[in-house]
Amino acid sequence: MAKKFPAQPKNPERICWGCDEYCPADAMRCGNGADRTAHPAELFGDDWQAWEPKVVIEIVPADKIDNADATLNTDIHTRV
């Protein structure tokens, strides 16, 4: 079972957040990389959990759709 991920740690710069080990930044055990993985609060700010991507949906009337763009690409085949 994964450890609970802390939303607002006091000193996030002291820990590698790359896996469930939460190793000290100067003694990483997992070998995820040469540098520690930053906490989302370090990258996106304290309100990182409230962030949501902007979704834009454009509705185009059927008579405005170019039929050449609406065709399926049949040149690509998947081989198993």
Side-chain angles (χ1 to χ4, degrees), residues 1-2 10 12 19-20 25 27 29 40 45 53-54 62-63 70 72 79:
M1 184 173 167
K10 291 190 184 236
C19 68
D20 288 342
R29 293 184 299 269
K54 182 179 179 182
D63 60 339
L72 293 174
R79 294 181 186 183

Side-chain angles (χ1 to χ4, degrees), residues 10-56:
K10 291 190 184 236
N11 295 300
E13 70 280 356
R14 295 181 183 173
I15 297 174
C16 176
W17 301 95
C19 68
D20 288 342
E21 294 291 326
Y22 301 148
C23 303
D26 58 354
M28 295 184 289
R29 293 184 299 269
C30 68
N32 248 353
D35 200 9
R36 72 177 189 88
T37 302
H39 188 276
E42 294 177 88
L43 300 172
F44 306 115
D46 291 335
D47 61 344
W48 67 274
Q49 289 181 308
W51 181 83
E52 292 182 20
K54 182 179 179 182
V55 178
V56 177

